[in-house]
Amino acid sequence: MESADPDPLRLRHARIHEVQGTGRDAFTIFQAARHPGPVFWACPINQRAMLYPPGMPEGLGGRIYLMRARSEVDLLWATEEALRASVTGLVVSEPQRPLSLTAGRRLQLAAEQGGTTGLMLIAPGHGSNATETRWDCRPIVHPKGWAHHWATVKNKRGPTGEWRLRWMPQRGGDPVFIR
């Protein structure tokens, strides 16, 4: 889908956004690379999959601060505090349960207070009504190799849309939109 927005993949500043699907990690790394400043990433302490800085765009690995929470309450608290810190470029959080309306609203207020963008990595169906946008992301096969299908399935301030693109984290740079 074509968009009038010159940057349809931009996340609105000082808001909470959500991403779901099997391609959510690539989308998250893409967003982290384009947000300047520190990136705080909150995940459960028992999570097996970990970040691999050498596979990230140049300079991003040194800007990520991993916060490993012992409980869901601790994870949401750490996320909220990082959102309030105005020096933060992006806050990424991986809640394991659906957010209540109260929790979603608290995170939104913290993002507004700190002027920080938040990205929640959620399971399908675990979205919050308080979120600004929700993205569904998945890898796709393309004649030139792997590509991405990124779609907004919720947008409080505009239309939804979908984009097919090639973007390689190790190379960084801008994505190449494909048909």
Side-chain angles (χ1 to χ4, degrees):
M1 172 181 187
E2 296 299 319
S3 173
D5 186 344
D7 186 1
L9 304 176
R10 179 179 50 88
L11 298 179
R12 190 161 179 248
H13 186 66
R15 296 284 185 260
I16 297 294
H17 304 269
E18 295 173 339
V19 60
Q20 62 187 18
T22 54
R24 72 184 194 176
D25 292 339
F27 180 82
T28 303
I29 296 299
F30 172 76
Q31 293 297 339
R34 51 194 345 224
H35 280 81
V39 176
F40 289 89
W41 196 306
C43 66
I45 198 166
N46 61 352
Q47 182 169 308
R48 291 189 178 269
M50 295 303 295
L51 299 173
Y52 183 65
M56 294 183 188
E58 188 174 331
L60 178 58
R63 294 190 295 121
I64 293 180
Y65 297 88
L66 188 61
M67 303 180 295
R68 300 186 71 196
R70 294 187 190 278
S71 69
E72 191 81 359
V73 171
D74 290 346
L75 182 126
L76 293 176
W77 176 85
T79 302
E80 191 175 328
E81 291 301 311
L83 286 165
R84 281 198 182 94
S86 59
V87 299
T88 304
L90 179 70
V91 177
V92 177
S93 185
E94 300 185 56
Q96 301 301 296
R97 292 183 285 216
L99 291 179
S100 68
L101 184 56
T102 301
R105 186 69 184 134
R106 285 181 63 95
L107 292 173
Q108 181 56 53
L109 291 171
E112 290 172 14
Q113 183 181 9
T116 304
T117 304
L119 185 59
M120 310 297 284
L121 280 64
I122 62 167
H126 285 193
S128 168
N129 286 333
T131 194
E132 183 78 14
T133 62
R134 183 171 305 121
W135 294 78
D136 186 65
C137 301
R138 59 186 160 86
I140 56 173
V141 177
H142 184 266
K144 293 184 179 180
W146 286 102
H148 306 277
H149 178 264
W150 294 344
T152 50
V153 294
K154 176 189 177 182
N155 186 350
K156 281 187 171 180
R157 303 203 189 268
T160 58
E162 58 183 52
W163 299 268
R164 295 174 188 273
L165 57 122
R166 289 186 47 82
W167 181 75
M168 301 301 292
Q170 300 85 349
R171 296 186 191 140
D174 292 328
V176 175
F177 292 93
I178 57 176
R179 298 223 179 253

